[in-house]
Amino acid sequence: MKLSAHEQAMLDGREGRAKQKAMDLLVRYGEALGAERLVDTNNVCGTVGASTPFLREYGARHGMDAVFSEFSLDSAEVVEIPRVSVYSSHLQQGLDPEHAALQGIPPEVVKVYRQGEAYTAKLGVQPLNTCAPYTVGNVPRKGEHCAWMESSAVIYINSVLGARTNAEGRESAGAAMLTGKIPYWGYHLDANRLGTHLVELEVDVESTADWGLLGYYVGEMAQDRVPVLAGVRHVPDLARLKHFGAAAASSGGVEMYHLAGITPEAATLEAAFGRNRPLERFRFGRAERKRAYDQVNSTARDSQVDFIMLGCPHYTLEQIGETCRLLEGKRVHENTSLWIFTPRATKQLADQKGYTKIITDAGGYLMSDTCSALGRVLPKGTKVAAVDSAKQAHYLPAIMGVQCWFGSTADCIDAAVTGRWSGGFK
Amino acid sequence: MTTIVLRGRKVVGGVAEGEALVTKERISGWGGIDPRTGTVIETRHELKGKSFSGKVLVFPGAKGSSGWSSQFHVARLAGAAPLAMVFNEMTTKIALGAVVTHAPSVTDLDQDPLEVIATGDWVRVDGDNGVVEVTKKAG
């Protein structure tokens, strides 16, 4: 890989041991990819905290610089970590410190979390603590080279905003925070952003849940390529695009898509494909929709529901408002818990708007910073969950061994109130 | 005993050999494996319940969450990582994942490893030279 003079200087250790380790990792990673060079970035989203179970044990034993060295730089040698060089944001964490007891998190773990938070602040990383940074002010511009983790955020900023990132990992994001560099490969290059697969919609896709099902189907079919969707009748809003992308990135590995005539690099269907011809064509009709529905619901059997989890990816203020309209004046069933996850910044607005009170009065909770799958946090004794996110339905049963229903937000609130799942394929 | 030699490109250097675990399905890292045991946990995956710990993992590539690398990173520290990796599709997830797993890894092979290698075959991966030697299981 060709390095600039500045990159070589960092690799030679002229800017300290931490940047040397960071460059060493970026070079190993870039060469593994087959990248020819690195590119400058001033927008990194990653994870440096130690809030998940394995890492907090490691952090408690060895300290936070050791966590950063090992898990963000792949360095067994503990190096002193300087402030980050570029604009860096923290993604979701492993727990909500304000609801720790409810999440079954003991006080000593909250202490480790707070230490991590202070460490992160000292490094200069913005504590957005969400999987959806683009909903709370980190909105990269079209063409901006970024180094983001979190598959649902990567697909969103590539496809909806026209920013340029690959799905980075914890280590490459950590190295990018210190150096402002990332391999120039994949979705940083024009040619790789063009469409490869055509998906024609034969049914109208309107609700947020429907966009989730469509995303789940598209991910299965396109895997890690670039699908182009044609025939969209209802232009989706932020929440629908968020659920669509999250699902497509879970069932497959989609990091970039186009909606013909809607997203910024797809003014027309022809523009979305450029010089490419579709490798395959798929149709999304009633049968495909039913298949996606059955797959997303494949773990669910028992109609008695213990737990309703909303906010994957983290809910927007508008989604919280919609939930409140469904919930207002009702009570969450005594055998059921309702947890809704949102960024901390959005939580503050929800407090201000009165949404948090509506949820709390009904017996639910508005939580921040984490989610059930990432933090492995569930109400005690949960066997059957219900969600309105195809992504969460994909991961939660695998990670927590619970059954999981998928349906609309209204289906979920109905289950929260009655304690029973009455949703179904509509 | 038949030995087949595949040639490709280095992803991570080093040499390792062991029994192959082969899947034609892409693997998820975060939410797809239990890194403490190396077991695949994805609900509908053909390897669900099987562990790649101490095996040569032969697979199409990575999918899913960007937590891929950190899950394999934890698997290495937990002593549950694959011995080596042989795969077809290059992505940032698998490149970084292979790098931090420190497991000899090869891709871009001249024959499809998913066709040539079967679970239980003995496989030697020479990452530095991009060579994969396959000794077919007897019978």
Side-chain angles (χ1 to χ4, degrees), chain A residues 307 309 339 341 370-378 392 396 400:
Chain A
F307 176 46
M309 185 274 183
W339 294 1
F341 293 89
T370 190
C371 77
S372 287
L374 193 92
R376 297 167 168 262
V377 289
L378 294 175
Q392 192 76 198
L396 195 61
M400 300 302 290

Side-chain angles (χ1 to χ4, degrees), chain A residues 329-342:
Chain A
K330 296 178 184 154
R331 279 294 303 171
V332 172
H333 193 269
E334 56 180 355
N335 298 331
T336 303
S337 302
L338 170 65
W339 294 1
I340 303 167
F341 293 89
T342 195

Side-chain angles (χ1 to χ4, degrees), chain A residues 3 69 109 185 201 214 223 230 276 280 305 313 315 361 385 413:
Chain A
L3 297 182
S69 300
V109 172
W185 190 86
L201 305 192
L214 174 61
Q223 289 292 327
N276 286 356
E280 286 181 89
V305 175
Y315 256 12
D361 286 352
I413 293 301

Side-chain angles (χ1 to χ4, degrees), chain A residues 113-182:
Chain A
Y113 181 90
R114 295 290 189 198
Q115 283 165 356
E117 210 170 35
Y119 178 83
T120 306
K122 193 190 80 184
L123 293 186
V125 178
Q126 307 304 329
L128 299 184
N129 295 359
T130 177
C131 51
Y134 51 88
T135 67
V136 285
N138 189 338
V139 185
R141 66 171 167 76
K142 185 166 183 274
E144 182 172 353
H145 292 287
C146 299
W148 281 33
M149 283 181 73
E150 174 48 45
S151 60
S152 69
V154 164
I155 190 173
Y156 190 93
I157 69 166
N158 268 332
S159 314
V160 181
L161 304 181
R164 299 187 170 212
T165 187
N166 294 307
E168 295 303 336
R170 181 176 175 120
E171 301 86 355
S172 55
M177 286 178 186
L178 298 188
T179 61
K181 306 285 179 180
I182 202 73

Side-chain angles (χ1 to χ4, degrees), chain A residues 32 70 74 150 167 171 220, chain B residues 9 66 69 73 90 92 102:
Chain A
E70 177 63 58
D74 188 29
E150 174 48 45
E171 301 86 355
E220 287 262 340
Chain B
R9 177 173 82 78
S66 59
S69 64
H73 195 148
M90 181 51 80
T92 50
H102 302 180

Side-chain angles (χ1 to χ4, degrees), chain A residues 55 118 128 136 147 188 232 269 287 306 315 327 348 370 402 422 424:
Chain A
L55 287 169
L128 299 184
V136 285
H188 291 285
V232 174
L269 189 61
D306 314 307
Y315 256 12
L327 194 60
Q348 195 173 348
T370 190
V402 295
S422 310

